[in-house]
Amino acid sequence: MLSGGGARGAYEVGVIRYVREKIKGPTPFFCITGSSVGAINGAYLAATANRPLAQARMLARLWSDLDLDQVFKMGWRQIRNLPQLLLGGPRRGDNNDQTIGGLVDAAYLESVVRTRIPWAGITENLTRGHIHAFACSATKLNTGTTKIFVQTRSGQLPAWPVDPGQTVEHTQITAAHALASAAIPVLFPAVRVGPEFYVDGSLRQNTPIRPAMRLGANRLLVIGLRKKATPHPAPGDVGSADHPISPNAVFMLGKVLNALMLDKLEADLARIERTNALLATGRSLYGDDFAEKLGAAIPGRAGRPYARIGVQLIQPSENLGTIAYDVIRRTGLRRYSSVMARWLRRTMDASEQAHENDLASYILWDPDYSHELMELGFADARAHHDEIAALFEPVS
């Protein structure tokens, strides 16, 4: 399960590289689900599932080639349409446009996604059984509801409960689906998929855990993109009594993004933990067939029994905002000349007091930053070697 988080997605690559290179024996992924940048990483993994030993290195190379000036390029079209984007009104352009809005020109990122991912490989790997399902989520622009796009080996959807504010569609997943899932509102243009326009899937479903469970997965490797917050900061930590801060707009916006992404993930994991506890207690009180009886008695499950879900969460052991701050301070982003690069350099004054830049950590598409995140992901996965290996052990 691959989370959304913009440039933080490089961390996922490091975790995957450890799984592929250091976990002995086969490490097949039954299904892959992703949202936002996780949809792009997930699509790459699904498309190269027939090359498990090489895919992480190839994906790391892709991340290392990303260029901040190109990702956040602003052209004449964006300048011309800026009043309409900010104030509304008639949109200039062809009615058949595949994208609308956006402060930056997404042509570079679109080209990377379309040309560097072998899209035909998803269908081929599903057909050959290298994976059994791939899913990514996006947010429908006109309603704000989540749409889950699913492609399965069988060509059919399993029984899927009705969820408020969420729909699911079986389809052949293409570059448009991944680009739509990763389209950060306002910053990147909304992307047309079929007759509708979609934006970032992480707005409502940042880490797509439940789609994986409904596709039949019962052992989950979940990769989060934020260091777990401590309820009581230690002395010297940002926000502690001896290190107070004066919030500013940059600091506050970064914290809001963190809160949105962490809370949803923790809620899903807490729900799984409660269900596992319920099943264990039920079996001890009512017998080994408790899960089967419970599944048969609840409407909408089509008689499917409940099953214990094994979860291993890998999340950063260090603050990614601090890493972003250190990279910008060390490099000065001197290789870049774009408006975004100049703005990031200016945010350093606002970040100086906290020595972190959470907002930059989401938008710093830079090889130095990506490399540090990939190394951190690799190290964090190594710290959970035994738990990850257990996920791939054969069922006894």
Side-chain angles (χ1 to χ4, degrees):
M1 282 80 261
L2 301 168
S3 302
R8 293 182 173 215
Y11 178 86
E12 298 172 341
V13 182
V15 176
I16 296 300
R17 185 166 68 89
Y18 186 87
V19 172
R20 291 312 200 194
E21 295 179 3
K22 301 299 182 181
I23 302 297
K24 295 181 179 179
T27 54
F29 295 134
F30 175 81
C31 71
I32 299 169
T33 64
S35 186
S36 193
V37 72
I40 294 176
N41 283 339
Y44 195 98
L45 296 179
T48 59
N50 58 316
R51 303 183 62 187
L53 296 180
Q55 64 178 181
R57 293 194 300 274
M58 295 188 297
L59 185 55
R61 191 176 306 120
L62 186 156
W63 272 88
S64 297
D65 290 341
L66 293 178
D67 180 279
L68 181 68
D69 279 356
Q70 295 298 320
V71 171
F72 293 109
K73 186 177 181 181
M74 181 174 286
W76 167 243
R77 181 181 179 185
Q78 285 68 42
I79 297 174
R80 181 192 65 186
N81 289 327
L82 186 59
Q84 182 272 330
L85 177 66
L86 298 177
L87 303 175
R91 176 175 59 90
R92 298 185 182 185
D94 192 289
N95 289 332
N96 294 319
D97 283 354
Q98 297 303 301
T99 62
I100 56 172
L103 283 173
V104 299
D105 183 353
Y108 169 77
L109 189 59
E110 178 180 348
S111 175
V112 169
V113 171
R114 291 187 181 279
T115 63
R116 298 286 294 271
I117 299 176
W119 289 97
I122 295 178
T123 299
E124 184 176 342
N125 286 322
L126 286 166
T127 301
R128 295 186 176 183
H130 294 300
I131 56 172
H132 287 73
F134 172 57
C136 64
S137 57
T139 303
K140 190 178 291 189
L141 183 61
N142 63 343
T143 64
T145 57
T146 297
K147 184 68 163 287
I148 303 172
F149 299 102
V150 180
Q151 186 174 356
T152 65
R153 185 185 184 194
S154 67
Q156 298 179 338
L157 278 175
W160 204 284
V162 176
D163 284 334
Q166 184 180 107
T167 58
V168 60
E169 176 185 339
H170 189 282
T171 185
Q172 181 176 344
I173 294 178
T174 66
H177 297 90
L179 287 166
S181 183
I184 301 173
V186 181
L187 192 59
F188 291 119
V191 178
R192 183 195 295 272
V193 179
E196 304 284 351
F197 282 95
Y198 294 86
V199 292
D200 201 324
S202 66
L203 294 179
R204 290 176 60 92
Q205 189 177 77
N206 186 59
T207 307
I209 292 177
R210 277 178 280 182
M213 294 165 59
R214 286 165 186 167
L215 288 167
N218 55 23
R219 302 183 188 183
L220 310 181
L221 177 59
V222 181
I223 306 177
L225 294 180
R226 185 205 167 183
K227 180 182 179 182
K228 185 174 181 179
T230 55
H232 304 291
D237 286 351
V238 174
S240 63
D242 60 345
H243 191 174
I245 54 171
S246 300
N248 54 67
V250 172
F251 181 88
M252 292 292 288
L253 183 54
K255 295 305 179 185
V256 167
L257 287 172
N258 280 345
L260 289 173
M261 294 187 174
L262 179 68
D263 292 346
K264 294 176 184 178
L265 173 58
E266 287 199 334
D268 282 341
L269 295 179
R271 188 179 297 109
I272 291 174
E273 186 176 347
R274 289 194 300 268
T275 301
N276 286 342
L278 173 67
L279 294 177
T281 303
R283 288 193 182 98
S284 66
L285 293 176
Y286 304 110
D288 291 339
D289 60 349
F290 171 77
E292 288 75 14
K293 290 180 178 179
L294 184 63
I298 294 181
R301 290 190 61 84
R304 292 180 296 114
Y306 281 88
R308 184 187 184 281
I309 304 297
V311 179
Q312 180 56 51
L313 171 65
I314 306 296
Q315 57 188 154
S317 59
E318 298 180 21
N319 187 326
L320 301 191
T322 301
I323 295 176
Y325 172 87
D326 289 341
V327 168
I328 298 174
R329 184 183 60 179
R330 184 177 68 249
T331 67
L333 302 181
R334 287 180 289 274
R335 72 179 79 179
Y336 304 115
S337 59
S338 64
V339 172
M340 181 61 74
R342 292 197 295 272
W343 180 80
L344 283 173
R345 284 192 287 265
R346 289 174 182 171
T347 65
M348 293 300 287
D349 291 336
S351 304
E352 189 69 35
Q353 187 181 17
H355 300 290
E356 64 181 41
N357 195 326
D358 286 318
L359 186 57
S361 72
Y362 291 95
I363 57 179
L364 187 57
W365 270 279
D366 168 74
D368 292 320
Y369 178 61
S370 296
H371 176 75
E372 293 207 20
L373 264 56
M374 286 187 278
E375 290 300 310
L376 179 62
F378 191 90
D380 288 342
R382 180 171 56 212
H384 295 278
H385 176 95
D386 292 342
E387 296 95 325
I388 296 174
L391 292 177
F392 297 97
E393 290 179 356
V395 178
S396 57

